[in-house]
Amino acid sequence: MTTRIGVVTFPGSLDDSDARRAIGLAGGDAVALWHRDKDLHQVDAVVLPGGFSYGDYLRCGAIARFSPVMATVIEQAKAGMPVLGICNGFQVLCESHLLPGALTRNDHLHFVCRDQRLRVESADTAWTSDYERGQEITVPLKNGEGGYVADERTLDELEAEGRVAFRYLGGNPNGSRRDIAGITNEAGNVVGLMPHPEHAVEALTGPTTDGLGFFTSAVKKLVTS
């Protein structure tokens, strides 16, 4: 039976079609989800894609968090459904309090767009099980408000509980605390990161195919669960 992974489209989403393509390449069935629809159409997992939801008004992800679809996503995520937030999707997850902390303006105040080296810090999540802890991967990064921040107590808890999923290598591109590029919730089913794995799934268009593991991890997890 094919794994159904939904990709939410908000007004201003840019990378939703790329995420759907990545899911298909990983062997899943990509399902388009509309932000005004509470029905998740029986999907097994959800991806919140990159872009500029609602034009990033107020602050990134702040309005998208109140979209009708997010009420169901939040409910299902708390019940164990795998949810991946990429870039703007990571911001939405933080605004929804599914993940702690927040994303702020890059410390150099410039938009950054580059191929980014990452170290996998956790291979125990629904979206990273096809990687090995300590593995280095390269995927594109593109953001203007990608600096991950949280209070020291929260940062210490993330470190102690093994919830830092990815860390930047080769220089911190946006001022994220402790070089954090992505984190996970306590259960490991919700993951958010600023870099874009969906842009590194084909040799023709990506710097690598290192990002495909996110989507194959979820497909395999759902098939065996």
Side-chain angles (χ1 to χ4, degrees):
M1 186 173 180
T2 305
T3 300
R4 291 166 56 83
I5 301 180
V7 180
V8 178
T9 297
F10 300 100
S13 293
L14 298 179
D15 303 299
D16 44 349
S17 60
D18 302 85
R20 292 195 300 269
R21 180 169 179 79
I23 291 164
L25 290 170
D29 182 9
V31 179
L33 301 176
W34 185 235
H35 69 111
R36 295 186 65 180
D37 188 357
K38 289 185 178 180
D39 187 354
L40 297 185
H41 301 285
Q42 298 180 314
V43 299
D44 304 298
V46 169
V47 175
L48 304 179
F52 303 90
S53 60
Y54 294 90
D56 281 347
Y57 291 116
L58 297 183
R59 58 184 181 273
C60 301
I63 299 177
R65 176 260 180 274
F66 292 102
S67 291
V69 72
M70 285 305 300
T72 312
V73 170
I74 292 168
E75 176 186 324
Q76 293 300 309
K78 290 180 177 179
M81 174 182 280
V83 178
L84 174 66
I86 303 170
C87 197
N88 187 234
F90 186 12
Q91 295 162 341
V92 175
L93 289 177
C94 290
E95 290 287 342
S96 302
H97 304 297
L98 287 174
L99 292 175
L103 285 306
T104 62
R105 286 290 301 273
N106 295 347
D107 60 350
H108 45 71
L109 303 182
H110 294 286
F111 190 90
V112 60
C113 183
R114 73 187 201 188
D115 296 334
Q116 178 65 51
R117 289 174 55 227
L118 304 172
R119 182 171 61 243
V120 179
E121 299 284 28
S122 174
D124 298 326
T125 80
W127 299 93
T128 60
S129 59
D130 263 5
Y131 298 105
E132 295 182 3
R133 188 173 184 274
Q135 182 177 345
E136 296 184 12
I137 64 174
T138 300
V139 300
L141 173 76
K142 49 174 185 170
N143 63 72
E145 297 182 87
Y148 180 73
V149 297
D151 60 79
E152 288 300 318
R153 178 178 177 179
T154 298
L155 292 170
D156 288 343
E157 287 178 352
L158 290 173
E159 301 276 13
E161 296 170 6
R163 293 171 53 197
V164 175
F166 298 92
R167 230 181 282 269
Y168 294 115
L169 296 176
N172 190 319
N174 46 34
S176 289
R177 299 297 304 276
R178 306 190 188 183
D179 299 330
I180 292 174
I183 61 173
T184 179
N185 67 342
E186 292 181 13
N189 62 303
V190 179
V191 172
L193 77 163
M194 287 310 295
H196 287 261
E198 79 280 15
H199 294 321
V201 295
E202 294 180 283
L204 178 64
T205 56
T208 65
T209 58
D210 291 347
L212 192 59
F214 282 80
F215 306 97
T216 56
S217 293
V219 169
K220 292 176 182 178
K221 165 74 173 178
L222 292 163
V223 167
T224 58
S225 61

